[in-house]
Amino acid sequence: VLAADGGTRTAAVSGAYVALHDAVTALKLPSWPLRHSVAAISAGVVKGRVVLDLNYEEDAKAEVDLNIAMTGEGKYIDVQGTAESHPFDDKTLEEIFRLARLGVAEITTRQRLALEAK
């Protein structure tokens, strides 16, 4: 995963939280050690449009590329990004963050549903 593109890394982070939750549940510890859920998503600008969850082709052509990890409560854990070809402004960054919050909220919901289904 360390050598993967952003979409693979962010999917690994989101899936790893579910696996960690499962492992902690199986251990039946006297107190719950996990404070927050964690999910991550890629976002950026491709062909002048802000996009969420970039696939490989989009990631390779992105003008702006960010990976954002957040708690299920909407707090930022990690933001990593770069302007690949052109600098970008505050308006673009705000739109990327807006979409990332929506994407992480959706992933968090799916994580919760997956854990409840067990």
Side-chain angles (χ1 to χ4, degrees):
V1 174
L2 295 175
D5 66 12
T8 304
R9 281 192 303 270
T10 58
V13 167
S14 298
Y17 170 74
V18 174
L20 177 61
H21 189 285
D22 280 348
V24 169
T25 299
L27 290 172
K28 298 180 182 177
L29 299 172
S31 64
W32 190 252
L34 303 179
R35 291 183 280 176
H36 306 282
S37 64
V38 175
I41 198 154
S42 60
V45 178
V46 179
K47 296 182 182 177
R49 289 185 36 242
V50 176
V51 295
L52 187 63
D53 196 20
L54 284 71
N55 62 32
Y56 177 79
E57 292 79 22
E58 291 168 329
D59 189 81
K61 296 175 186 173
E63 295 124 49
V64 177
D65 182 16
L66 276 78
N67 298 309
I68 300 167
M70 300 175 73
T71 68
E73 292 78 26
K75 303 224 183 221
Y76 293 92
I77 297 169
D78 184 59
V79 176
Q80 175 276 320
T82 187
E84 299 285 353
S85 60
H86 303 292
F88 57 99
D89 58 21
D90 287 340
K91 182 180 175 192
T92 302
L93 185 59
E94 289 169 12
E95 179 64 10
I96 291 169
F97 280 147
R98 185 188 72 76
L99 280 179
R101 285 190 299 272
L102 291 172
V104 167
E106 176 66 23
I107 293 167
T108 299
T109 297
R110 290 175 185 240
Q111 288 172 322
R112 189 183 74 252
L113 291 171
L115 291 166
E116 289 172 357
K118 296 180 182 219

